[in-house]
Structure formats: C-alpha cells, structure tokens
Amino acid sequence: MEKVLLSNQEAEALKSALEINGGDKAHVISWHSQDLWSDKLAVLNDLDLNTVCTALYVGYEVEPGPEEKVMDYYQSLDTSREFSADWHKSIAVSHTLKLLNIHIKGNNC
C-alpha cells in the first residue's frame, strides 16, 4: 500500500488532530467517521475514511503548493540552450500560469 497525497492544509489538520487526541490514531478515525471535525480541522471532513486510515497507518506526502511547483519549474529550466530570451520568457510565463491554475484568454487558454 502506498502513501496518500494530502494538501498542506489537510496534512496540518491531520497532525493537529493527532496532537489533540494524544497520538491515538483509532480515536482520530472514530471522530473522522462521525464527521466531528470543526474549525481548522474541518478540512478533514472532505477526506474519505480510507484516505485518513492510509495516511495514519501507512503515511502521507504533502502535495506541493503553487509556490513550490513554480520554484521547481524554474529550477528545472535549461537556460544553456541557444533559444531567444523572449521564447524562454513566453514559455516560462505560460507554464507558471498553468502551475498557479490561472487562465488568461489568449495566453494559456
């Protein structure tokens, strides 16, 4: 069984839920099965029981946020090629908008 992928907000909420319940995973699962989460933990109510159980017992990874996706993209750019600076900028802007889930007619949609 593989680790599940959680958003940063979901991971923080799950961590808080464990702390509040003294690290008792079974108690966290009991609360989750009854949709008892509120306030900053309410994001857990959107996760299915299987995902929460897998996250608690197998583990989870935190999905990179938009900022991390953009930083990874810029670090992966190969600027050693002999392309024009304008071409690099155009591709970089379009891909950055995609990573940030921003759609601008005439540019990236």
Side-chain angles (χ1 to χ4, degrees):
M1 186 171 265
E2 295 183 20
K3 293 180 179 181
V4 293
L5 188 62
L6 301 179
S7 70
N8 189 41
Q9 188 178 13
E10 292 165 343
E12 289 297 320
L14 188 59
K15 182 179 173 183
S16 294
L18 274 169
E19 290 173 1
I20 290 168
N21 289 286
D24 185 351
K25 295 174 183 177
H27 198 244
V28 171
I29 291 169
S30 175
W31 270 69
H32 185 74
S33 66
Q34 300 172 51
D35 288 332
L36 295 175
W37 305 118
S38 61
D39 300 324
K40 68 178 183 175
L41 302 181
V43 67
L44 295 175
N45 291 326
D46 295 333
L47 296 177
D48 63 68
L49 186 58
N50 188 50
T51 300
V52 172
C53 291
T54 302
L56 289 171
Y57 289 100
V58 176
Y60 61 89
E61 295 180 7
V62 179
E63 180 179 16
E67 294 83 6
E68 290 87 7
K69 289 178 183 178
V70 170
M71 184 59 71
D72 290 345
Y73 170 67
Y74 279 108
Q75 290 174 349
S76 74
L77 288 176
D78 181 5
T79 57
S80 65
R81 293 184 178 167
E82 295 295 324
F83 294 111
S84 72
D86 288 338
W87 182 83
H88 276 292
K89 289 178 187 176
S90 173
I91 296 299
V93 168
S94 294
H95 196 71
T96 300
L97 292 172
K98 180 181 176 185
L99 291 170
L100 295 174
N101 201 24
I102 298 171
H103 304 283
I104 299 174
K105 188 174 182 178
N107 187 309
N108 63 339
C109 69

